[in-house]
């Protein structure tokens, strides 16, 4: 069970209240949690810390600087996707492991407290096969029926909502329209939405949302199209920026509004960071399209080109369109290999992305599959990938990769409604971000991707806490 995954509390001492220039308390208690390679530390409490006076740090003194008075975007949630593959794997687990999975992801005390979810509108590659909710050429959508999802997906989403305390914002994404609506007459390998079916396809989203909500699953938002510039061997559909803009402003936006769904968060792009500004600029520079768009979603797979992750492109979108939201909608490590589930680089990819994405203005962050099997699936086209947790269906046991713990350093401590606050490091070996929760607690996340430990000071308003960033580690410091 998850309670065994966290090490016991090592020690805790209350510290005297330190005061800043305005006479307001800087901290009463300070607790640090750490996950580190080559140790048993996994989201483990590694003791308490104390503030001391440090009026002006020297350049030779390593510091992470935090200013809670400088606030930025609010946080909506952090979570993962409940795909058909996740739900099918969950159903195949023994009851004890099912309970462990739900506790591990959704319990804030014993697990990592996920507060956001994504799922697909009919099939994706992480389904055991392609399917839709309507019969071929049913242009009026009279046969629309989501009973396929009642076997695995709908039951798991309902259990996840309960495990999360009765509320779990869910957004939904299509990978492809039905084959008969497309130019290539296939759900797979790209193709485009035929112009004559644009209204039918817009109606399809509404049908799906209504069907899920009728089953007791509230839908918080939706994306227009998963990866609209990728011709994949699995379900995919291509939109240029202009085509997506015109579909939103002439069909999808008005259709949502006409059906009383203006409050659903409409997310555009839903693809990689490499073209995120070009797409956002085209969509949001058109007032008639922009009025329907809540925000811009993106993935991290621009690295397929050999590029590093392009956070500056995300930041530019926020600077150019500050009234719109940014949401990370998908990321996973591809090319699954069971022998690599202990690879420390898995988690470090997550930590690197999470810190930089939040520092670029992101309000919500969603991992891809929450649970895959010991082969990295199921996936009906062999696109097997890593997940933070894998199910060994032969033994019924769960396998935790370090990605799970790296994600937990954010989702367990950064609560919905938190605001990002100013945070900077004076060494590139340490990357960091910080938040202030609605209850006033300050959350600072510091990551060290190098093989060398580095002592540093956490500095706030003339006071500092001395601590140590272990090699290949991530730490979350809670200041109350």
């Amino acid at each position: 069970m998850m309670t065994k995954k966290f090490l016991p509390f090592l020690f805790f001492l209350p510290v005297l209240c330190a005061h800043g220039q305005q006479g307001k308390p800087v901290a009463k208690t300070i607790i640090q949690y750490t996950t580190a390679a080559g140790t048993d530390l996994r989201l483990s409490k590694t003791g308490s810390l104390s503030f001391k006076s440090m009026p002006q740090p020297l350049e030779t003194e390593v510091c992470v600087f935090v200013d809670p008075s400088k606030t930025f975007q609010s946080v909506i949630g952090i979570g993962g996707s409940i795909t058909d593959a996740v739900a099918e794997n969950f159903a195949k687990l023994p009851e004890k492991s099912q309970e462990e999975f739900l506790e591990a992801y959704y319990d804030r005390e014993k697990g990592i407290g996920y507060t956001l979810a994504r799922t697909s509108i009919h099939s994706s590659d992480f389904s055991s096969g392609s399917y839709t909710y309507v019969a071929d050429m049913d242009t009026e959508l009279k046969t629309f029926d989501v009973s396929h999802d009642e076997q695995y997906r709908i039951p798991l989403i309902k259990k996840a909502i309960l495990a999360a305390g009765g509320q779990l914002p869910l957004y939904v994404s299509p990978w492809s329209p039905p084959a008969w609506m497309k130019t290539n007459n296939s759900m797979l390998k790209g193709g485009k939405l035929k112009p004559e079916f644009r209204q039918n396809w817009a109606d399809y989203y509404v049908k799906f949302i209504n069907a899920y909500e009728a089953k007791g699953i509230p839908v918080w938002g939706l994306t227009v199209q998963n990866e609209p510039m990728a011709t994949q061997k699995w379900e995919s559909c291509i939109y240029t920026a202009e085509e997506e803009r015109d579909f939103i402003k002439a069909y999808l936006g008005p259709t949502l509004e006409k059906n009383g769904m203006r409050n659903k968060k409409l997310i555009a792009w839903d693809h990689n960071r490499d073209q995120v500004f070009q797409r956002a600029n085209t969509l949001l520079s058109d007032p008639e399209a922009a009025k329907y768009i809540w925000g811009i979603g993106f993935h991290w797979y621009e690295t397929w080109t050999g590029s590093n992750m392009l956070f500056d492109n995300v930041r530019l979108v926020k600077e150019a369109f500050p009234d719109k939201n940014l949401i990370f909608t998908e990321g996973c490590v591809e090319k699954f290999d069971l022998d690599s589930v202990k690879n420390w680089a898995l988690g470090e990819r997550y930590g690197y992305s999470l810190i930089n994405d939040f520092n670029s203005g992101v309000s919500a962050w969603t991992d891809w599959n929450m649970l895959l099997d010991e082969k990295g699936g199921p996936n009906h086209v062999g696109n097997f990938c890593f997940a933070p947790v894998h199910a060994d269906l032969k033994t019924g046991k769960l396998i935790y990769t370090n990605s799970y713990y790296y994600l937990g350093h954010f989702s367990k401590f950064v609560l919905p409604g938190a605001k990002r606050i100013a945070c900077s490091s004076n060494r590139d070996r340490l990357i960091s971000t910080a938040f202030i929760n609605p209850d006033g607690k300050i959350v600072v996340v510091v990551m060290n991707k190098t093989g060398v430990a580095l002592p540093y000071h956490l500095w706030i308003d003339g006071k500092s806490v001395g601590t140590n960033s272990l090699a290949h580690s991530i730490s979350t410091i809670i200041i109350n």
Side-chain angles (χ1 to χ4, degrees):
M1 295 294 292
M2 273 310 303
T3 50
K4 297 180 180 179
K5 295 290 177 182
F6 300 104
L7 293 187
F9 187 27
L10 301 182
F11 63 92
F12 178 83
L13 293 171
V15 300
L16 293 176
C17 182
H19 290 269
Q21 295 175 351
Q22 303 301 320
K24 295 180 180 179
V26 174
K28 294 180 181 178
T29 56
I30 311 166
I31 311 171
Q32 180 167 280
Y33 297 78
T34 299
T35 295
T39 74
D40 291 330
L41 300 175
R42 298 294 183 270
L43 267 172
S44 306
K45 292 179 181 177
T46 47
S48 66
L49 305 169
S50 301
F51 272 115
K52 296 179 180 179
S53 179
M54 190 180 190
Q56 174 57 62
L58 301 174
E59 290 180 295
T60 53
E61 294 175 303
V62 182
C63 293
V64 172
F65 301 101
V66 176
D67 185 350
S69 72
K70 305 297 189 298
T71 61
F72 304 98
Q73 79 275 14
S74 295
V75 175
I76 293 164
I78 300 168
S81 296
I82 300 175
T83 62
D84 286 325
V86 171
E88 186 174 333
N89 288 326
F90 177 85
K92 293 176 180 177
L93 287 171
E95 185 177 353
K96 185 177 180 180
S97 293
Q98 289 182 348
E99 292 172 355
E100 178 184 341
F101 169 86
L102 291 169
E103 182 180 89
Y105 271 119
Y106 294 108
D107 190 301
R108 174 155 285 111
E109 297 302 318
K110 299 176 182 178
I112 61 174
Y114 270 7
T115 53
L116 186 65
R118 182 192 188 204
T119 198
S120 65
I121 296 176
H122 55 234
S123 61
S124 70
D125 50 325
F126 279 94
S127 302
S128 290
S130 289
Y131 65 91
T132 72
Y133 302 124
V134 295
D136 284 354
M137 297 309 298
D138 176 13
T139 58
E140 296 182 18
L141 309 183
K142 289 182 178 179
T143 59
F144 193 95
D145 183 2
V146 297
S147 59
H148 171 280
D149 298 356
E150 291 176 349
Q151 182 177 10
Y152 297 126
R153 191 162 21 132
I154 288 173
L156 177 54
I157 293 173
K158 288 183 175 181
K159 288 178 180 179
I161 292 170
L162 288 174
Q167 185 173 354
L168 185 65
L170 172 74
Y171 66 100
V172 301
S173 304
W175 265 241
S176 171
W180 53 271
M181 290 189 185
K182 294 176 65 187
T183 57
N184 66 344
N185 296 307
S186 172
M187 292 181 69
L188 316 182
K189 300 178 181 179
K192 293 192 175 189
L193 176 64
K194 292 179 179 179
E196 61 266 33
F197 292 128
R198 287 178 293 191
Q199 185 58 57
N200 311 79
W201 182 226
D203 292 338
Y204 198 102
Y205 296 76
V206 170
K207 288 274 192 182
F208 178 82
I209 293 170
N210 281 333
Y212 262 52
E213 293 195 334
K215 295 182 181 298
I217 299 175
V219 175
W220 169 80
L222 66 158
T223 76
V224 180
Q225 167 63 44
N226 180 73
E227 298 186 347
M229 287 302 293
T231 299
Q232 306 283 23
K233 61 182 179 180
W234 53 85
E235 288 85 341
S236 44
C237 183
I238 304 301
Y239 292 80
T240 65
E242 292 77 13
E243 288 167 341
E244 184 177 7
R245 176 198 66 198
D246 294 346
F247 177 61
I248 290 170
K249 73 177 181 180
Y251 295 93
L252 185 54
T255 299
L256 292 170
E257 188 167 54
K258 182 178 69 175
N259 286 275
M261 296 183 181
R262 191 71 173 87
N263 64 326
K264 305 301 183 188
K265 312 305 188 223
L266 183 58
I267 301 161
W269 185 225
D270 199 10
H271 204 165
N272 297 330
R273 299 185 189 96
D274 50 2
Q275 292 186 321
V276 67
F277 179 75
Q278 181 266 339
R279 179 67 59 135
N281 196 37
T282 300
L283 299 173
L284 300 178
S285 295
D286 185 322
E288 291 304 306
K291 69 181 182 182
Y292 296 114
I293 298 171
W294 172 84
I296 301 296
F298 64 92
H299 302 180
W300 73 17
Y301 308 111
E302 67 269 20
T303 53
W304 76 270
T305 64
S307 170
N308 197 352
M309 294 184 181
L310 299 170
F311 303 109
D312 284 347
N313 293 350
V314 177
R315 188 175 294 109
L316 182 58
V317 173
K318 190 62 178 176
E319 291 171 349
F321 305 99
D323 60 325
K324 297 300 181 181
N325 298 278
L326 291 168
I327 175 171
F328 182 91
T329 48
E330 184 185 317
C332 75
V333 179
E334 300 165 287
K335 300 179 180 178
F336 179 76
D337 176 6
L338 185 60
D339 293 334
S340 297
V341 293
K342 301 299 182 183
N343 187 341
W344 204 257
L346 296 175
E348 290 188 329
R349 182 178 177 120
Y350 277 84
Y352 180 69
S353 180
L354 279 152
I355 288 173
N356 284 285
D357 285 332
F358 279 116
N359 286 345
S360 299
V362 160
S363 293
W365 208 97
T366 327
D367 183 33
W368 188 209
N369 295 283
M370 295 172 61
L371 179 71
L372 295 176
D373 64 20
E374 68 274 21
K375 299 177 183 177
N379 185 292
H380 71 88
V381 291
N383 181 35
F384 302 121
C385 296
F386 287 90
V389 181
H390 284 267
D392 184 339
L393 296 179
K394 297 175 183 176
T395 65
K397 303 290 186 182
L398 299 181
I399 302 167
Y400 293 83
T401 75
N402 70 321
S403 302
Y404 168 81
Y405 300 103
Y406 271 71
L407 279 157
H409 274 274
F410 298 83
S411 61
K412 186 177 177 71
F413 306 109
V414 181
L415 308 183
K419 283 189 174 292
R420 183 173 67 89
I421 58 177
C423 182
S424 68
S425 169
N426 66 352
R427 295 293 188 277
D428 63 1
R429 192 184 301 173
L430 300 181
I431 61 172
S432 59
T433 191
F435 308 84
I436 185 165
N437 277 327
D439 61 5
K441 291 181 181 179
I442 296 168
V443 180
V444 184
V445 184
V446 179
M447 178 175 158
N448 180 356
K449 284 182 67 177
T450 76
V452 181
L454 185 64
Y456 70 97
H457 299 274
L458 177 63
W459 190 96
I460 302 177
D461 198 16
K463 306 286 183 180
S464 77
V465 171
T467 186
N468 188 33
S469 181
L470 300 177
H472 292 292
S473 74
I474 187 168
S475 291
T476 301
I477 298 171
I478 311 298
I479 304 170
N480 186 7

